[in-house]
Each structure stands twice: as C-alpha cells, then as structure tokens.
Amino acid sequence: MSPLVKIRSERDRMSAVERRIADFVLDNAQLLRDYSSQQLANALGISQSSVVKFTQKLGFKGYPDLKYSVGEAIARADNGDEVETAAQVRGEVGESLATSLWRRKSEAEEATRLINPPQTLAAVVKAMAKAARGGKLFLIGLGEDDIHARAFAYKLALLGLPVVHNFDLARMTANVSAAGPGDVLLVFSEHGNQPALCKIGRHFRERRGLLVSVTRHNANPLRALADVALLVSAHDERPYIQSLLYQSALQHLLDVLFVQLCEGDDARHAQLVANLERIQQVLES
C-alpha cells in the first residue's frame, strides 16, 4: 500500500496531534526528504517522540523508513507526475482541476477498498442473500445519507430482494418491530452519531437481526453498535471536495456489494434483467 494512501485511510482514527502530522506529510510529501524528525516536530510545534510514534503506529520502523517509502511512492507516480499539495490543487483550473479531482476520487476509493477486507464484504453479501430467502432487508438514512440508502434499495429491489426502505424514523421504528432473526438492517450515516438511528439499531438487534453500519472510518456510536461495519475513507481540507470524495467512495463500495450479489446467483441476475425490461416497457408505453 502506498504510504500516502495508508495515511489517508487511517486519518479518521488518529488523535489530533497525529492528524496534524498526517496533514503535513500529505501536503508536503515532496519536501519530506529535506526534513528530519526534529525539524518536522519543530515545524508543527510538537515533540520529536510524537513524530516517531506516528511513524511506528503506521507500521514503519521509524521516521527514515517513512521518508524513504514516501520518496519511492513519489518516484513511482504515473508519468512522473508530482504529488500535488493542497495549495497547488487550489490553484488549478480547467482540465488540470478535473484531473486532480479524478485522482482524489480514485485515492478515496482505493483507501476505502483497503479498509474493507474481502471477508467483511463477503459476510455482508452472505447475510443479505440469506435474508432474501425468508426474511427482509431494511435500509435507512437521514438527509443526504438517504440518497445512498434509497439508490441502493432500488438496486436490491431490481434483484428481487425483499426491501424495506424508509427515511421516516417513526415508520422505520414500526417496521423494525416486525423484524426477526436473519433479517438485515443497513444504516447509512456518514458520521454515525444520530441518536435516533442508534436507538433503531438497538431495537433491531433486540429482534436478533444483523445490524450493518455504513459510516466514515472514524470512531462513532453507530459503528460501535453494529455487528458489521462498512467504512468509507475520504479526506480533503476543502469541505466541498471532501463531500464529493465521500460520495464517490461510498458509491464504489455499494457497487461492489451489488456486483457480488449479481454474480453470486443466476436467479437474481435473471430477475434483474426481467425487471429492467419491464421498467423500460412501462416507461415507453
């Protein structure tokens, strides 16, 4: 894994001091070779031991190992492109800005892939497939999170899966009361800190259903409550870019789940094709 991708993927779980170091490394990757651990510590106003502990926590032997790894990553950059700093990105326009955004989305998707092990995705797919054979799939998200919940619920319905989607807390609470063992609830919450969603999650688990959270890769109440946690890594100092990165990485994660469901069962694939044809016929009539 590229050290820069690793730093981005782990940033949400870092302390405030560690995030300052991470942001400095990401924004000044090309200049890192000129900094000793003491100089980096002085630039940030922290102790040298904090820098050393940061590098070791990421799995490097020490600060020199991190510098060497970052230097290698820069050297391997496609077409010899330089690693962009935040200031460079802000100054870009036109085609170069579009290229930068594409690259940042790709990095967010890669980091998200790395923090969601194949076995975790397989467990979610298996649970959803099992629920489809005699239970129900519940999905909920509030506000902007509902955009992703609604779109994913539609795709699952195309496969013929029994989906219960709602963005109304009262109605979902009532729906969940009818849940049972083997059912699955996917809760979409970027920051995972809405008390109402946590209450619904607890109620669902009392019904012995499987709770799957979809949140950012940081510590949050919903993630701690979930049986299985799907995580999204997306970081940028500009809020309007960070939001786009989150949406892109989350969509890619959900697409992977959808594809696995399609390829895991010929009957579901056939149902998808049939439903798409029926929808097209209705739209053309």
Side-chain angles (χ1 to χ4, degrees), residues 12 92 180 192-193 239 242:
D12 277 343
E92 292 177 335
N193 55 13
Q242 181 163 266

Side-chain angles (χ1 to χ4, degrees), residues 1 27 29 35-36 41 45 48 51 62 72 77 99 120 128 143 164 167 180 198 205 213 222 251 253 258 263 267:
M1 186 194 309
D27 292 342
Y35 280 81
S36 67
Q48 184 181 20
V51 175
E72 276 196 326
T99 301
T120 298
M128 294 172 67
V164 179
F167 59 88
C198 289
R205 293 195 65 189
S213 65
L222 183 60
Q251 185 60 58
L253 176 62
F258 178 71
E263 296 185 345

Side-chain angles (χ1 to χ4, degrees), residues 73-190:
I74 294 174
R76 290 195 304 266
D78 292 341
N79 301 320
D81 290 342
E82 295 182 345
V83 175
E84 297 167 320
T85 65
Q88 287 173 321
V89 173
R90 284 194 296 269
E92 292 177 335
V93 293
E95 182 66 25
S96 59
L97 180 58
T99 301
S100 174
L101 180 58
W102 186 279
R103 182 181 299 111
R104 297 291 287 118
K105 284 185 176 183
S106 298
E107 291 170 349
E109 291 171 5
E110 174 67 5
T112 297
R113 181 185 68 82
L114 293 170
I115 60 177
N116 290 280
Q119 57 268 31
T120 298
L121 300 183
V124 174
V125 170
K126 182 179 179 180
M128 294 172 67
K130 182 179 179 181
R133 291 194 291 269
K136 294 179 290 294
L137 294 168
F138 298 83
L139 294 91
I140 187 171
L142 303 180
E144 193 168 347
D145 291 308
D146 180 58
I147 297 174
H148 305 288
R150 183 186 299 269
F152 195 50
Y154 170 70
K155 288 184 176 180
L156 296 179
L158 287 175
L159 295 177
L161 276 59
V163 177
V164 179
H165 163 257
N166 218 308
F167 59 88
D168 183 275
L169 291 172
R171 292 184 63 181
M172 181 55 83
T173 301
N175 288 333
V176 165
S177 67
D183 289 345
V184 176
L185 169 62
L186 280 82
V187 181
F188 292 74
S189 177
E190 180 174 355

Side-chain angles (χ1 to χ4, degrees), residues 193-229:
N193 55 13
Q194 290 109 324
L197 292 180
C198 289
K199 289 180 180 178
I200 289 177
R202 291 191 188 94
H203 183 37
F204 187 81
R205 293 195 65 189
E206 291 172 359
R207 307 294 299 177
R208 297 176 60 192
L210 182 78
L211 175 62
V212 179
S213 65
V214 186
T215 72
R216 278 189 172 274
H217 181 40
N218 60 342
N220 62 74
L222 183 60
R223 175 182 177 182
L225 178 65
D227 296 295
V228 182

